[in-house]
Amino acid sequence: MEKLLKLQKGDKVAIVSPSFAASSVWPHVHELGLKRIREVFGLEPVVYPATAKLDATLDEKSADLIAAFSDTNIKAVISTLGGDIQVT
């Protein structure tokens, strides 16, 4: 087990929706969240393709997660919302 490093200003963080794509239903809330990540925490959000795709398949959602965790430039992964599919 490795100790995780504290996030630094400018670090890239993945934004994913492994379950319900609430970002597509409430885009204004999603944009406000991204703004806060930038302005309050000084982080750079990287939004993955299925995040705001309401009809995204399980394969698309899992591809986003795999890509986020595989990218060495991503320092944290943030889920927009949980749900039943997230467990799947």
Side-chain angles (χ1 to χ4, degrees):
M1 187 91 149
E2 289 184 35
K3 182 178 180 182
L4 297 175
L5 299 176
K6 183 178 178 183
L7 293 173
Q8 302 294 318
K9 289 190 185 241
D11 280 350
K12 292 181 179 183
V13 295
I15 308 298
V16 296
S17 290
S19 193
F20 177 59
S23 306
S24 65
V25 178
W26 299 290
H28 59 288
V29 176
H30 178 73
E31 288 303 320
L32 180 60
L34 296 177
K35 181 179 178 183
R36 295 260 163 79
I37 288 170
R38 287 185 197 99
E39 294 177 1
V40 174
F41 298 103
L43 302 170
E44 183 181 337
V46 178
V47 181
Y48 281 74
T51 301
K53 187 175 178 187
L54 193 56
D55 61 347
T57 66
L58 291 177
D59 286 341
E60 290 172 305
K61 293 171 190 245
S62 62
D64 281 0
L65 283 173
I66 291 166
F69 280 104
S70 298
D71 187 340
T72 57
N73 294 312
I74 297 295
K75 303 303 179 190
V77 177
I78 299 172
S79 173
T80 62
L81 192 65
D84 292 342
I85 297 171
Q86 181 170 320
V87 175
T88 301

